[in-house]
Amino acid sequence: DGNTNVETWSFSPRLKIPYCVFGVNNSLVAGIDWEDWTYTSTRTNPASATAQQRNSAGYLQNVATLIPGTTLSLGGRLQRIDFEASDSTLPAGGAAEEQNRNLSAYEIGARHQLNRAVAIYGKYGYSFRVATLDEIYSPGLGAFFIPPSVTFIEPQTSHDSELGLEAQYGPGRYRIAVYRSDLKNEIHFDANSFSNVNLPPTRRSGVELEGKWTLTTSAQLFANYTYTEAYIRSGLLGGVDVSGNRIPLVPRHMANVGLDWSIRERTRLNAAANYVGSQLYDGDESNTFGTQMPAYWTADLAVFHTIDAWTFGASVRNLFDEKYYTYALAITFPTSTFVAYPAPERNFLVSVQYRF
């Protein structure tokens, strides 16, 4: 339990400029982002975390229509981050830190319409992510004599690439894409130390398949499948060589299929089934635990009805009462076992929405 207050000031003007150079139509977007926020969280253990962060950034993005059906986009961002955090329950400075970083990101992309039904696209970029206060602050575990602490970790950076094809044939729309992200300092929760850490260099790559079909004027069917490989490229973790090891909590196979059906003019039904494949237990970065979290599938059903500005909804989640868990931690000492957090069984939700 606790009480958290966040005060945020932001200023984000943006300018869009259409222009033409050498007969090529362009659209330039330029802007700045300025944010200043103060965070205070009082917990019952007791511990009180405070933080101040200021972000100052400028960005540009240009989209050029080279020929009809072919576009080229190029964008970049520069950002300065000043971050201070502390545990105010400790008069000493052991739980107070600050971090100042200059970061950058960019992306270049292209899209070409091969014909009326088929288009190809590709993009390559460099991105970053900065840890939040919850990822750098540990309120401590008094029962285990672990004091509160603030430990900054490095921003996560990634080189990202994607190549895809989109097509439309008859009532169906399809997309297939291959992607790869080479990350440095990936932010990862280390369950053994109860803190977030930066992983050695990692890679996430895979294939995405999407399909949407118009069955009738009032019903659409959709399906998605993702195959993911996530592993540590090289390096040590906790003094152990984990080169080539899979990253925990990343299933290789994920899929879903669903139906969106307007039964009547104001009544809509949504149905979906979701599949998640097996994955390594958290804490098994060494890949030696010997077993994996079991795969599972769930189904959801919902109905919505609109009367004027009111929308009434009723849904059943986990329709077939599947027994599963989405998070579990491997424990190897003193015996080989695991702890799991069971997901909700069949549950119901009723909602009412009014739009002004």
Side-chain angles (χ1 to χ4, degrees):
D1 295 332
N3 182 36
T4 300
N5 294 306
V6 179
E7 182 179 296
T8 304
W9 294 87
S10 63
F11 180 61
S12 299
R14 185 177 65 169
L15 183 65
K16 185 175 182 180
I17 306 172
Y19 66 98
C20 183
V21 176
F22 302 118
V24 177
N25 291 322
N26 291 261
S27 177
L28 175 67
V29 175
I32 61 174
D33 289 329
W34 179 87
E35 294 179 334
D36 190 296
W37 61 267
T38 302
Y39 176 106
T40 303
S41 180
T42 303
R43 327 251 174 133
T44 57
N45 49 353
S48 179
T50 61
Q52 290 184 326
Q53 181 174 344
R54 176 170 294 175
N55 301 323
S56 305
Y59 61 89
L60 294 169
Q61 184 184 46
N62 190 83
V63 179
T65 303
L66 304 180
I67 58 174
T70 302
T71 58
L72 176 67
S73 63
L74 178 64
R77 180 183 182 92
L78 297 175
Q79 182 163 326
R80 168 74 178 183
I81 296 174
D82 299 291
F83 200 173
E84 298 179 2
S86 65
D87 183 340
S88 59
T89 60
L90 293 186
E97 295 285 345
E98 67 177 44
Q99 185 181 69
N100 306 299
R101 294 291 184 273
N102 294 312
L103 301 168
S104 62
Y106 64 84
E107 183 178 270
I108 181 171
R111 178 183 174 87
H112 177 63
Q113 197 76 32
L114 296 174
N115 53 48
R116 296 182 60 182
V118 181
I120 59 173
Y121 70 90
K123 56 185 178 180
Y124 178 82
Y126 181 77
S127 60
F128 63 84
R129 184 173 86 82
V130 179
T132 65
L133 178 63
D134 286 339
E135 290 173 314
I136 64 171
Y137 173 67
S138 172
L141 295 173
F144 296 95
F145 305 101
I146 300 177
S149 64
V150 174
T151 305
F152 276 97
I153 52 181
E154 288 300 310
Q156 170 182 305
T157 60
S158 177
H159 284 96
D160 309 304
S161 57
E162 182 177 337
L163 181 64
L165 182 145
E166 297 176 345
Q168 182 170 354
Y169 291 103
R173 297 176 61 186
Y174 311 90
R175 185 180 77 92
I176 180 172
V178 293
Y179 65 90
R180 190 174 84 175
S181 294
D182 288 336
L183 299 97
K184 290 185 178 180
N185 296 318
E186 180 175 346
I187 298 173
H188 174 78
F189 178 71
D190 183 356
N192 296 312
S193 64
F194 299 99
S195 63
N196 286 279
V197 299
N198 291 124
L199 287 178
T202 58
R203 173 172 293 168
R204 294 172 183 253
S205 59
V207 180
E208 295 178 342
L209 301 174
E210 294 181 3
K212 294 182 180 179
W213 300 270
T214 301
L215 303 180
T216 67
T217 56
S218 59
Q220 281 193 331
L221 181 69
F222 64 86
N224 303 279
Y225 168 76
T226 302
Y227 175 80
T228 303
E229 284 285 353
Y231 62 92
I232 299 171
R233 287 182 282 160
S234 63
L236 304 176
L237 190 63
V240 178
D241 187 359
V242 290
S243 301
N245 287 8
R246 288 178 58 191
I247 300 174
L249 301 180
V250 181
R252 279 185 168 140
H253 305 280
M254 296 181 65
N256 72 333
V257 60
L259 174 69
D260 188 357
W261 179 23
S262 295
I263 303 174
R264 290 181 156 187
E265 182 180 355
R266 296 178 176 271
T267 305
R268 189 175 80 254
L269 180 144
N270 297 132
N274 310 285
Y275 172 81
V276 178
S278 59
Q279 52 196 301
L280 296 179
Y281 285 90
D282 196 10
D284 188 23
E285 287 79 12
S286 62
N287 294 185
T288 58
F289 189 58
T291 186
Q292 299 185 37
M293 295 170 55
Y296 62 89
W297 73 278
T298 59
D300 305 314
L301 184 66
V303 177
F304 301 94
H305 183 70
T306 301
I307 302 176
D308 297 327
W310 294 89
T311 299
F312 302 88
S315 61
V316 185
R317 298 176 180 175
N318 194 3
L319 179 64
F320 298 104
D321 202 24
E322 177 81 357
K323 305 298 189 296
Y324 69 102
Y325 49 89
T326 60
Y327 178 82
L329 172 64
I331 299 176
T332 58
F333 181 83
T335 59
S336 182
T337 184
F338 66 89
V339 291
Y341 296 87
E345 299 178 354
R346 183 188 298 117
N347 58 95
F348 304 87
L349 178 67
V350 176
S351 63
V352 179
Q353 180 181 3
Y354 180 81
R355 291 193 175 184
F356 296 94

